Amino acid sequence: MPVLVMKFGGTSVANLDRIKRAAKRVGVEVAKGYDVIVIVSAMSGKTNELVGWVDEISPLFDAREYDAVVSSGENITAGLMALTLQEMDVPARSWQGWQVPLKTNSAHSAARIEDIPPDNIRTKFAEGMRVAVVAGFQGISPEGRITTLGRGGSDTTAVAFAAAFDAERCDIYTDVDGVYTTDPRISAKARKLDKIAFEEMLELASLGAKVLQTRSVELAMRYNVKLRVLSSLNEQSDSAGTLVCDEEENMESRVVSGIAYSREESKMTLVSVADRPGIAAAIFGPLSEAGVNVDMIIQNISEEGRTDMTFSCPTNQVQRAEKALEGAKQSGAINYHDLITDSDVAKVSAVGIGMRSQSGVAAKMFKTLSDEGINIKVIATSEIKISVLIDRKYMELAVQALHDAFELEKLA
Ligand code: ADP
Ligand code: ASP
Ligand code: MG
């Protein structure tokens, strides 16, 4: 029988009523003749609570124990979903990541999926089971320890299963009815897109639009998974949501397709480091070993053989970054006069494949921000995106102003 993957995010399984509502949707697909793999997230708020407990006990936690704790929310919803389906007389069974097994590498808290042998679940389907409910977000390392795939990782679990089982489609059910031109919570003018190109979705996701985890988009693109985002909350909805697909001709006409933001960013400046070959490696090597995701980097002009180096990273990694840099200083690998952290910044980005062929997008973006009196602290560009770092208090204003400037309310 054809296989369908249906993923339900935190708000879609937030309580027993929501789980029942989601189960009904699964029942409809089973009745159509699909074997369904359901991927569930933890109930909304649960993972944040678990992360909070870990942080409180141990700010620089052992990532193996972090994973042991934060993966547990999904175990509850997987069992509850299987029970709900059984109550509806749909033959269903739950699976934790290790039982599948969903094999990952050992990069705890940000593990990469290496393999999903489909045999165990296929055997159960052959025996008459109709729904495999799989706990999203979690896997097992080569050492036999539980891993997690990074925040929002259930999306990636879903796409990886769709690829492993050659599913007809991977439907991501969430609390909005598709991918919008920007976060509908920030701008009432945001418009739902019927289709979005993989590449644009990849940029939007990696720049903060959390509707899909970046890695899930990468996998869908690589394995050609038919990926759809739609709402589980809207019972009457016959909306087809948003299809994430290969680039189509008309898409290039949209210069900018979306505005993304990332609220919890920080900017760190190493004041007066020696400007010599190898200095960047000496700074960013230890940061990478400490698991800090460095994003934007700028090196100032040099004066008398010394320069300032500025970079940005997620705010919750600042402590790790400080520790790594102080360690490198003590060991003599680097020398700096001061380390200045600005934890009140946010990143706002404009994304669009049309940028490849049209110029003037950066100029328009900078002018729009300047008209609003917003100072730009760092700029980064790529072929299809422009990002700026600004004071966090202006983030919403910047998103709305850019959405207006690029006339995104006219897209559909
Ligand atoms: P889930 O719990 O279902 O995985 P998430 O909270 O991870 O849901 O992702 C859905 C949220 O992503 C939406 O509620 C919305 O606030 C946010 N979001 C950010 N950018 C966008 C966008 N461009 N389009 C749609 N949603 C977006
Ligand atoms: N529950 C996890 C999180 O909140 C994974 C997910 O929902 O995708 O990050
Ligand atoms: Mg999510």
Side-chain angles (χ1 to χ4, degrees), residues 45-163:
K46 193 74 206 166
T47 311
N48 284 347
E49 182 183 41
L50 297 169
V51 170
W53 287 343
V54 172
D55 278 341
E56 200 175 319
I57 288 186
S58 173
L60 294 173
F61 49 76
D62 176 332
R64 285 162 293 198
E65 300 310 334
Y66 167 95
D67 280 351
V69 176
V70 306
S71 62
S72 63
E74 272 71 9
N75 297 344
I76 298 169
T77 41
L80 291 174
M81 176 64 85
L83 286 171
T84 309
L85 288 160
Q86 288 175 1
E87 287 296 318
M88 294 163 50
D89 291 326
V90 177
R93 184 60 66 207
S94 73
W95 306 74
Q96 296 183 7
W98 66 272
Q99 292 173 299
V100 173
L102 186 149
K103 298 183 185 173
T104 71
N105 65 8
S106 308
H108 284 276
S109 82
R112 307 267 287 195
I113 298 174
E114 291 187 333
D115 191 22
I116 304 180
D119 318 9
N120 287 342
I121 289 178
R122 281 232 170 96
T123 305
K124 287 286 177 194
F125 278 141
E127 290 170 0
M129 178 189 72
R130 299 300 307 281
V131 182
V133 185
V134 178
F137 181 50
Q138 47 172 265
I140 184 162
S141 74
E143 294 78 29
R145 299 217 62 92
I146 304 300
T147 53
T148 63
L149 308 179
R151 297 305 307 270
S154 296
D155 299 328
T156 301
T157 309
V159 174
F161 268 86

Side-chain angles (χ1 to χ4, degrees), residues 186-189 259 395-405:
I186 298 274
S187 170
K189 294 185 189 165
I259 309 292
M395 193 194 80
E396 277 89 355
L397 175 63
V399 169
Q400 288 156 1
L402 292 170
H403 198 274
D404 284 347

Side-chain angles (χ1 to χ4, degrees), residues 134-403:
V134 178
F137 181 50
Q138 47 172 265
I140 184 162
S141 74
E143 294 78 29
R145 299 217 62 92
I146 304 300
T147 53
T148 63
L149 308 179
R151 297 305 307 270
S154 296
D155 299 328
T156 301
T157 309
V159 174
F161 268 86
F165 284 79
D166 203 13
E168 201 167 292
R169 219 173 48 233
C170 180
D171 286 342
I172 306 283
Y173 286 91
T174 181
D175 57 357
V176 285
D177 60 353
V179 178
Y180 279 68
T181 48
T182 192
D183 188 345
R185 285 172 211 266
I186 298 274
S187 170
K189 294 185 189 165
R191 286 284 172 274
K192 183 179 81 78
L193 299 165
D194 292 335
K195 289 182 180 179
I196 186 163
F198 279 125
E199 277 186 71
E200 283 175 330
M201 192 63 239
L202 199 57
E203 285 284 5
L204 284 175
S206 73
L207 294 168
K210 66 177 182 154
V211 61
L212 286 174
Q213 198 196 31
T214 310
R215 181 87 180 117
S216 73
V217 186
E218 256 169 36
L219 284 181
M221 200 165 155
R222 164 132 42 104
Y223 294 103
N224 220 356
V225 170
K226 197 167 173 200
L227 182 61
R228 218 163 47 132
V229 178
L230 60 174
S231 166
S232 73
L233 303 182
N234 188 349
E235 192 126 23
Q236 307 309 326
S237 167
D238 51 2
S239 154
T242 300
L243 188 67
V244 189
C245 57
D246 284 325
E247 187 177 331
E248 291 174 359
E249 259 174 44
N250 60 353
M251 286 181 177
E252 285 254 8
S253 61
R254 318 197 288 227
V255 184
V256 172
S257 293
I259 309 292
Y261 65 86
S262 171
R263 190 188 301 270
E264 301 300 326
E265 298 287 323
S266 286
K267 179 165 85 78
M268 301 182 82
T269 301
L270 288 151
V271 179
S272 186
V273 290
D275 189 8
R276 58 166 172 82
I279 188 65
I283 292 171
F284 295 108
L287 287 171
S288 145
E289 275 159 35
V292 178
N293 295 99
V294 172
D295 180 18
M296 298 158 142
I297 299 176
I298 34 176
Q299 182 178 341
N300 278 18
I301 51 161
S302 171
E303 241 177 276
E304 292 169 13
R306 300 197 76 83
T307 184
D308 295 346
M309 191 79 87
T310 297
F311 64 91
S312 68
C313 71
T315 297
N316 64 6
Q317 295 179 359
V318 163
Q319 258 185 302
R320 269 172 206 277
E322 284 170 351
K323 195 169 167 225
L325 293 171
E326 277 154 22
K329 189 177 186 184
Q330 266 156 27
S331 75
I334 54 172
N335 186 359
Y336 54 85
H337 285 180
D338 204 0
L339 177 59
I340 301 171
T341 303
D342 178 356
S343 295
D344 289 321
V345 293
K347 184 169 63 173
V348 175
S349 312
V351 172
I353 46 183
M355 275 185 214
R356 282 193 206 121
S357 48
Q358 301 219 23
S359 57
V361 180
K364 188 166 183 171
M365 180 161 179
F366 303 154
K367 170 87 169 54
T368 305
L369 295 173
S370 122
D371 287 348
E372 297 292 341
I374 300 171
N375 188 32
I376 300 172
K377 299 183 167 210
V378 184
I379 300 169
T381 64
S382 78
E383 208 189 11
I384 65 164
K385 73 119 199 275
I386 302 163
S387 299
V388 294
L389 220 53
I390 58 173
D391 277 333
R392 187 172 302 141
K393 63 181 178 214
Y394 297 126
M395 193 194 80
E396 277 89 355
L397 175 63
V399 169
Q400 288 156 1
L402 292 170
H403 198 274

